[in-house]
Amino acid sequence: MLAAAAMLCAAFAAAQAPVPMSYVLIIAGVGGAPEYTQEFYQEGMRMANAAHTKYGVPDSAIVFLAENPARDPQHIRGLSTRAGVQKAFAHIAATAKPGDLVFVLLIGHGSAQSEQSRFNLPGPDMTAADFARLLKPLRAQRVAFVNAASASADFVPALSAKNRAIITATSSVHERNETRFAAPFVDAYAGDGADADKDGRVSLLEAFTYARREVMRDYHAGNELQTEHAMLDDNGDGKGTGTPGARTPDGGLSSRLFLGGGAAATTVAASHDPRVAALVQHKDSLEAKIDALRRRKASMDSTAYEHAMEALLLDLATTNQAIKPDSGGVP
C-alpha cells in the first residue's frame, strides 16, 4: 500500500508539470510529374489530418508546405521552396518551448551529389547540412526528423544529436530509386495497425517499425529486389540501424516520442480519467530514467546499477499494471 501511495504521489506530481506541445512540419517536395505531385500532396494531407484529428495537434501548430499551395489554400500553408522551409523552421524555433516535440516529415524525391544527400524542392534543393543549420535553434526541444525520400541516408550523421530521432528511408546515398516508405509511415499514424503495445497511442519507434515491415512486405509480395532499407538513429552517435528497439542503443528515445498534447494525451482521451494522465506521464518518466541508467552502466558499480535498475523496473511494472483499465489497479 505504501509503495502504491508513493507511486501515485510521484505520478500526480509529474502531472502538474507543463504539458509538452507538438509542432508538425510536413514538406512535400517537387513531384517532377503530375502523379508524384498528387501522391506527395495526398500523403502530406493524410499526415496533417491524422496529427489534428487523431492526436489533437492544433491546426496552428501544423504547417504543410507543398509544390502548389493554390490547389488547397485551406490546408497548404506555403510553397515548399528553400525560402518557405526556412520561414517555417524560424517560426517553430520562435514558438516552441523547451521540451516540446518538433516533428518534421519530408515526402518527395531525393538525390545525392558528391556523396551528399539532397531533398528535391521547387527551385534550389536542400542538403542535409542545410537542414542541420535550421535545427540548431531547437536544442532545447525534442526533434523527430523523418526523410522519406531516396538517397536520404546522409541525413543521419548530419542531423544526429541529443534529444533527436532521425529516420531515413534509405541506408545509403546509393539507394536512389523511388522509395515506398512514406505511405506506410503515414499509415502508422492515420490507421490502427502500428500500435504494437496496444496502449492507445503510436510512438515514433512503432511508426518506424511498422513502415519498415510494410515496405519489406511490399517488395516481397511483388517478388522484387528491395532497393531501400530504412534506418533510425536517436542516441546521438550519428549511426543508424534498421532494427531499433526500446531497450537497444537506438530506439529508446523514439519509444517515448508521441504526437499530441503530451505523451499521455491519447491514453487519457480514451479513459477520461486524470489519474491515468498522471500514471502515463510517470511511466514515460520512468522509461527515460531506465534509458539514462543503461547508458551509465559502464561507469557504475555493478551492484549499485542492479539495485537502481531493479527499483525502476519494479516501479514501471506497477505503473503499467495500474494504467490498464481491466487490471483492477488504481484507475
Side-chain angles (χ1 to χ4, degrees), residues 247 289-313:
R247 301 291 179 256
K289 291 177 181 177
I290 289 170
D291 192 31
L293 181 62
R294 282 196 171 96
R295 291 196 297 269
R296 298 199 308 270
K297 181 178 180 179
S299 62
M300 292 180 63
D301 173 75
S302 60
T303 301
Y305 172 82
E306 290 172 4
H307 285 325
M309 182 61 72
E310 181 181 7
L312 288 170
L313 291 176

Side-chain angles (χ1 to χ4, degrees), residues 4-48:
M7 179 193 69
L8 275 176
C9 287
F12 284 118
Q16 302 306 310
V19 176
M21 281 282 294
S22 290
Y23 293 85
V24 177
L25 173 57
I26 303 163
I27 305 169
V30 63
E35 61 269 25
Y36 289 124
T37 299
Q38 176 67 11
E39 177 186 335
F40 301 161
Y41 163 74
Q42 288 179 336
E43 295 305 333
M45 275 303 305
R46 285 207 305 139
M47 188 69 231

Side-chain angles (χ1 to χ4, degrees), residues 27-41 67 80 105-113 116-128 131 146-153 155 169-170 173 175-182 228:
I27 305 169
V30 63
E35 61 269 25
Y36 289 124
T37 299
Q38 176 67 11
E39 177 186 335
F40 301 161
Y41 163 74
E67 186 177 0
S80 55
L105 173 61
L106 310 186
I107 302 172
H109 298 304
S111 58
Q113 296 179 12
Q116 186 178 49
S117 296
R118 296 172 179 268
F119 183 65
N120 301 156
L121 297 172
D125 296 337
M126 291 185 66
T127 66
F131 281 101
V146 182
N147 185 347
S150 52
S152 50
F155 275 66
T170 75
V173 295
E175 293 184 326
R176 301 181 183 184
N177 292 347
E178 176 194 351
T179 57
R180 307 179 189 182
F181 185 82
E228 61 185 279

Side-chain angles (χ1 to χ4, degrees), residues 116-189:
Q116 186 178 49
S117 296
R118 296 172 179 268
F119 183 65
N120 301 156
L121 297 172
D125 296 337
M126 291 185 66
T127 66
D130 292 329
F131 281 101
R133 284 191 290 271
L134 295 179
L135 288 175
K136 281 185 178 180
L138 296 170
R139 294 186 182 90
Q141 288 74 28
R142 299 168 300 149
V143 173
F145 192 104
V146 182
N147 185 347
S150 52
S152 50
D154 274 356
F155 275 66
V156 168
L159 272 57
S160 180
K162 182 181 179 181
N163 288 327
R164 286 187 195 170
I166 312 300
I167 291 174
T168 59
T170 75
S171 61
S172 166
V173 295
H174 300 294
E175 293 184 326
R176 301 181 183 184
N177 292 347
E178 176 194 351
T179 57
R180 307 179 189 182
F181 185 82
F185 183 80
V186 173
D187 284 342
Y189 288 101

Side-chain angles (χ1 to χ4, degrees), residues 251-281:
L253 174 63
S254 297
S255 71
R256 304 191 303 275
L257 295 182
F258 301 89
L259 280 179
T266 53
T267 303
V268 175
S271 70
H272 303 288
D273 190 334
R275 291 177 295 178
V276 176
L279 289 165
V280 174
Q281 288 192 4

